[in-house]
Amino acid sequence: PLKSMAKLAAIASILAASFNVFAEPVEIKFSHVVAENTPKGQMALKFKELIEKRLPGEYVVNVFPNSQLFGDNNELAALLLNDVQFVAPSLSKFERFTKKLQIFDLPFLFEDMAAVDRFQQSDSGQKLLNAMNRKGLIGLGYLHNGMKQFSANDPLSLPKDAKGKKFRIMASDVIAAQFDAVGAIPVKKPFSEVFTLLQTRAIDGQENTWSNTYSMKFYEVQSHITESNHGVLDYMVVTSNTFWKGLPADKRVIFKSSLDEAIALGNKIASEKDNEDKQAIIDSKRSELVTLTPAARQQWVNVMKPVWAKFEDQIGKDMIEAAVAANT
Ligand code: LMR
């Protein structure tokens, strides 16, 4: 009887494998570095919900927030090794794969998020989704967070106020040049370390969106936030060639449409959070808002905008012109 039981079990497992019944669902990992109550955090959870609803029993999507699984220093390498299948780093974090995305870091390029959106949806913007294909990365879509603001432990009203101060930046040479331009000291550090660096005063300031400043509690360890809207922090949702091409074609369609829907929700949350989180920070009274007069803001523009010329060759003049045109 033991022998026939074993035989039955073998037959059952062959049947299960060929009909995909009883088979374990395939685990998909989505890793990111921010909190769950953010545009990216909510987008990833929506994607999980849609995939598990549309492909029940076939896939489970496990979302790992807060750099729990991979952080800034290793998430793209992990993606290429297929240790994770989806990540959505900020556009500032792809420099090792392409110089083209540096365009998004140019200070004072985009007037507002509507302009960012117009550029991303234009032919030029859509072309950039494929900029890393030869390196094994596939850009599936852009996701918004918002415009960046400066924060520090002193009010930053004029460019000279930033002089000599250490600012944490993302790993971007354009952002480094932006802080060099005002005589500040940029320090490239992963997102997961920012709170502690600010709290211990190892660094003086940082730049980020209202959403990140709120959800990571940076406002509790920074006395002033300057409403500068000097640049954009947005994301690209990327997967690997290996994973994407390995998906059955019919499933790939469902993955893509689910992601598009999740991104649409994330973008809606981004625009809501931008105001809500700003207001929550103001209401907390932990950090004071510095508002720039048009003349003061113009000083920042004058000092930082020359950075564009330094990166024009790498980014492409046409691209920059297309982005500027998106402002109108
Ligand atoms: C940062 O490092 O400040 C941001 O890119 C974090 C994020 O993913 O929003």
Side-chain angles (χ1 to χ4, degrees):
L2 260 179
K3 239 184 175 174
S4 54
M5 288 263 288
K7 240 188 197 163
L8 265 178
I11 292 169
S13 76
I14 291 166
L15 277 176
S18 47
F19 293 106
N20 206 19
V21 285
F22 316 127
E24 289 290 312
V26 176
E27 187 196 19
I28 304 290
K29 293 183 181 142
F30 196 138
S31 172
H32 66 81
V33 301
V34 293
E36 282 192 334
N37 62 335
T38 57
K40 186 160 53 180
Q42 293 297 304
M43 180 277 284
L45 289 174
K46 186 69 187 179
F47 179 62
K48 169 188 171 69
E49 179 198 312
L50 292 175
I51 292 296
E52 292 177 358
K53 191 167 87 192
R54 290 169 183 175
L55 298 166
E58 293 186 67
Y59 296 92
V60 283
V61 179
N62 290 324
V63 180
F64 300 87
N66 286 314
S67 311
Q68 267 167 23
L69 187 62
F70 299 109
D72 282 336
N73 289 340
N74 55 9
E75 65 179 11
L76 285 168
L79 187 75
L80 289 174
L81 290 171
N82 205 25
D83 288 339
V84 59
Q85 287 69 43
F86 294 93
V87 295
S90 99
L91 297 167
S92 316
K93 295 177 184 172
F94 291 101
E95 225 169 62
R96 280 184 294 129
F97 295 88
T98 177
K99 302 286 183 202
K100 301 279 176 220
L101 291 173
Q102 289 180 323
I103 189 165
F104 290 100
D105 287 337
L106 295 178
F108 299 102
L109 175 61
F110 296 106
E111 273 164 18
D112 51 28
M113 292 308 292
V116 173
D117 199 60
R118 278 193 293 270
F119 175 67
Q120 289 174 347
Q121 300 313 320
S122 73
D123 288 348
S124 306
Q126 290 294 302
K127 218 165 80 187
L128 291 176
L129 290 172
N130 299 319
M132 300 176 288
N133 288 2
R134 277 190 298 144
K135 303 273 167 73
L137 295 179
I138 299 190
L140 295 173
Y142 293 104
L143 170 73
H144 294 322
N145 187 322
M147 300 298 279
K148 294 183 289 187
Q149 325 297 337
F150 295 120
S151 77
N153 272 318
D154 290 297
L156 302 174
S157 303
L158 295 173
K160 67 174 172 53
D161 301 330
K163 200 168 177 212
K165 287 195 160 50
K166 281 195 194 132
F167 286 86
R168 175 271 173 172
I169 62 164
M170 298 183 274
S172 154
D173 287 346
V174 178
I175 300 176
Q178 170 199 282
F179 280 101
D180 285 339
V182 295
I185 304 152
V187 190
K188 291 179 179 171
K189 289 285 180 188
F191 189 61
S192 58
E193 293 177 22
V194 182
F195 181 85
T196 306
L197 289 167
L198 295 171
Q199 190 185 36
T200 58
R201 304 262 178 144
I203 53 168
D204 302 300
Q206 59 99 41
E207 51 159 33
N208 233 308
T209 58
W210 293 113
S211 163
N212 281 344
T213 300
Y214 181 65
S215 58
M216 296 306 278
K217 300 192 181 343
F218 299 157
Y219 68 99
E220 293 188 358
V221 287
Q222 295 274 269
S223 65
H224 290 80
I225 304 176
T226 301
E227 189 167 27
S228 50
N229 292 312
H230 62 278
V232 62
L233 195 160
D234 257 31
Y235 308 111
M236 192 184 285
V237 182
V238 285
T239 187
S240 70
N241 235 325
T242 320
F243 171 74
W244 197 242
K245 299 279 156 65
L247 278 175
D250 55 332
K251 314 283 185 223
R252 204 184 302 134
V253 173
I254 297 173
F255 269 80
K256 180 66 169 76
S257 59
S258 301
L259 187 68
D260 290 345
E261 272 182 64
I263 286 177
L265 175 77
N267 286 344
K268 188 169 157 277
I269 292 172
S271 73
E272 290 163 4
K273 282 219 165 291
D274 205 45
N275 288 319
E276 284 169 16
D277 292 353
K278 173 184 163 188
Q279 195 55 49
I281 291 171
I282 294 169
D283 293 346
S284 79
K285 300 199 162 59
R286 296 290 293 262
S287 198
E288 204 178 307
L289 192 71
V290 179
T291 311
L292 299 177
T293 63
R297 191 167 188 273
Q298 191 56 45
Q299 283 199 32
W300 291 91
V301 175
N302 294 347
V303 184
M304 289 183 160
K305 213 167 150 178
V307 165
W308 295 19
K310 290 195 183 140
F311 294 89
E312 194 180 272
D313 288 348
Q314 291 179 10
I315 295 168
K317 203 166 189 273
D318 293 359
M319 272 289 169
I320 298 179
E321 278 164 8
V324 170
N327 281 323
T328 52

